[in-house]
């Protein structure tokens, strides 16, 4: 193993900085991964790549970027018992304190301790040749899944899965998804596996609508904007969908999802950022709708999802539309920032 490695940082202003840094050594409870796949998340674009917007949990500390890593264990530190050299692992993308209520329930995302650090935000992430990870954040990848599959599960698919669990999606439900970016595509794939259907997806991008339809993830791809509500009403017999999920973060899409959820239905907001204003009595109270806010998944549910993907015979990496080597990270981020295709993944 070499003493130095190539990596990528994000200084802002839609730029990428290539750096050479020392290869870390695993300490107590830590493992060193040779990176195999590290995908780009919409949050990376929104809060780091374009400009450093975040505070607290979203503060970027100038570290190696990439919070959706997957790789192979090449070294382990003392106190590591569950993970061994040669294991293929996906990584839950936050290392919490391990002691607070959120951590003890597996929702490391909700940890508020000063020691909480997200890969790619406050500690080095997956856009480098090696990643130093806490064993407690690593989950062994089933043989049926690729490294790219594992990278996508660590955030995007896990986020979609958590929201679908909150919504209690089943074969009793029609599912409406507003926003067919990577998380929306994940929600469609997983929603169908959980029994929902028909599945209706909306997006402003013709390319994303086409991708969702070509992959067979949605039954109806509806262009967002004027006419979308009318089209959804026609597809649902004027009643709306039993379950809906907004994956866009757009105010208009959030209202579209809520307005087209049927009486006594359930709606989840997953897309980050922005605000929304809607007629509370008309769209929420009088329709007796349950509205969920859902933020990432838990370690336990991520483990369940990995096992379910293998059992269901599903491959998340079918939503990867672009793959780039680390040396072409600038192009990878440029394409991801355009928001027109599926998932963008750096592969090693």
């Amino acid at each position: 193993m070499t003493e130095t490695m190539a990596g990528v940082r994000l200084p802002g202003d839609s730029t990428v900085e290539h750096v050479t840094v020392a290869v870390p050594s695993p300490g107590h409870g830590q493992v060193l991964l040779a990176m195999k796949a590290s995908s780009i998340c919409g949050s990376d674009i929104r809060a780091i790549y374009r400009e450093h917007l975040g505070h607290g949990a979203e503060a970027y500390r100038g570290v190696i970027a990439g919070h959706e890593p997957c790789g192979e264990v090449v070294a382990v530190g003392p106190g590591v018992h569950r993970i061994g050299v040669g294991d293929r692992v996906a990584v839950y993308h936050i290392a919490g304190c391990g002691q607070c209520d959120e951590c003890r329930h597996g929702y490391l995302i909700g940890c508020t301790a000063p020691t909480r650090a997200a890969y790619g935000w406050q500690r080095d992430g997956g856009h480098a040749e090696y990643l130093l990870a806490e064993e407690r954040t690593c989950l062994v990848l089933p043989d049926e899944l690729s490294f790219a599959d594992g990278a996508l599960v660590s955030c995007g698919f896990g986020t979609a899965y958590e929201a679908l669990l909150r919504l209690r999606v089943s074969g009793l439900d029609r599912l409406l998804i507003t926003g067919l970016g990577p998380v929306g595509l994940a929600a469609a794939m997983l929603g169908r596996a959980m029994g929902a259907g028909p599945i209706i997806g909306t997006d402003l991008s013709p390319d994303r609508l086409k991708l969702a339809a070509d992959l067979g993830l949605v039954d109806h791809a509806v262009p967002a904007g004027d006419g979308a509500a009318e089209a959804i009403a026609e597809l649902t017999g004027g009643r709306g969908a039993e379950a809906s999920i907004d994956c866009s973060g757009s105010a208009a899409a959030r209202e579209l999802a809520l307005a087209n959820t049927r009486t006594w239905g359930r709606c989840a907001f997953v897309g980050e950022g922005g605000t929304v204003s809607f007629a509370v009595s008309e769209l929420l109270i009088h329709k007796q709708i349950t509205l969920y806010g859902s933020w990432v998944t838990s370690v336990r549910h991520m483990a369940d999802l990995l096992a379910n993907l293998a059992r269901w015979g599903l491959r998340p990496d079918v939503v990867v539309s672009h793959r780039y080597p680390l040396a072409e990270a600038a192009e990878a981020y440029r394409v991801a920032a355009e928001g027109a295709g599926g998932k963008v993944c750096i592969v090693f």
Side-chain angles (χ1 to χ4, degrees):
M1 187 185 303
T2 61
E3 294 183 356
T4 61
M5 63 179 181
V8 162
R9 294 177 180 148
L10 300 176
D13 196 26
S14 298
T15 59
V16 166
E17 178 187 13
H18 289 271
V19 297
T20 300
V21 297
V23 175
S25 298
H28 191 276
Q30 295 179 324
V31 300
L32 184 67
L33 308 180
M35 280 293 90
K36 301 297 183 181
S38 185
S39 46
I40 296 175
C41 177
S43 294
D44 297 324
I45 301 298
R46 175 182 57 82
I48 306 178
Y49 175 66
R50 293 190 178 117
E51 56 181 321
H52 297 171
L53 294 177
H55 304 281
E58 284 200 339
Y60 177 59
R61 302 299 186 195
V63 298
I64 298 295
H67 69 266
E68 299 184 346
C70 190
E72 182 178 338
V73 178
V74 293
V76 300
V80 171
H81 304 291
R82 181 174 54 86
I83 301 293
V85 171
D87 283 344
R88 303 159 65 248
V89 299
V91 183
Y92 187 89
H93 52 295
I94 299 97
C97 69
Q99 301 300 320
C100 68
D101 286 346
E102 291 296 291
C103 282
R104 287 188 290 108
H105 286 92
Y107 289 93
L108 282 60
I109 183 71
C111 178
T112 57
T115 54
R116 177 200 189 275
Y119 297 96
W121 295 73
Q122 296 90 36
R123 62 181 290 164
D124 286 339
H127 291 355
E129 294 174 278
Y130 296 94
L131 170 71
L132 186 64
E134 307 301 316
E135 181 191 26
R136 66 181 184 274
T137 65
C138 294
L139 295 170
V140 175
L141 198 63
D143 292 341
E144 296 88 344
L145 301 182
S146 71
F147 287 112
D149 291 326
L152 270 60
V153 166
S154 68
C155 179
F157 270 73
T159 296
Y161 185 60
E162 185 73 20
L164 293 169
L165 291 176
R166 300 276 181 88
L167 292 171
R168 305 182 309 282
V169 164
S170 74
L172 299 174
D173 302 317
R174 288 167 289 198
L175 177 62
L176 170 63
I177 302 166
T178 54
L180 291 173
V183 176
L185 295 174
M189 180 188 291
L190 298 175
R192 191 182 299 284
M194 295 166 74
I199 296 176
I200 304 166
T202 72
D203 203 283
L204 290 170
S205 167
D207 290 338
R208 284 185 163 172
L209 290 168
K210 184 177 185 302
L211 178 63
D214 288 349
L215 291 174
L217 300 181
V218 298
D219 299 294
H220 307 284
V222 176
D226 295 341
E230 183 178 347
I232 296 167
E234 183 176 348
L235 292 168
T236 60
R239 304 182 71 181
E242 286 74 21
S244 64
I245 177 171
D246 174 67
C247 301
S248 73
S250 157
R254 285 169 174 155
E255 185 171 356
L256 182 69
L258 196 57
N260 289 279
T261 302
R262 67 166 294 172
T263 300
W264 291 102
R266 298 96 64 206
C267 178
F269 286 175
V270 170
E272 291 267 18
T275 60
V276 63
S277 176
F278 57 86
V280 175
S281 292
E282 177 186 353
L283 297 186
L284 192 67
I285 296 175
H286 294 176
K287 291 172 66 178
Q288 311 267 24
I289 286 174
T290 302
L291 177 61
Y292 295 92
S294 186
W295 189 29
V296 188
T297 193
S298 66
V299 177
R300 171 61 184 271
H301 287 162
M302 181 175 161
D304 291 345
L305 176 56
L306 287 168
N308 285 335
L309 287 169
R311 183 166 61 88
W312 292 333
L314 294 181
R315 295 292 302 274
D317 68 2
V318 300
V319 308
V320 176
S321 57
H322 298 79
R323 288 175 166 84
Y324 295 95
L326 186 65
E328 297 178 21
E331 179 65 8
Y333 270 91
R334 186 193 67 78
V335 169
E338 288 180 346
K343 194 72 168 178
V344 178
C345 190
I346 292 174
V347 295
F348 297 78

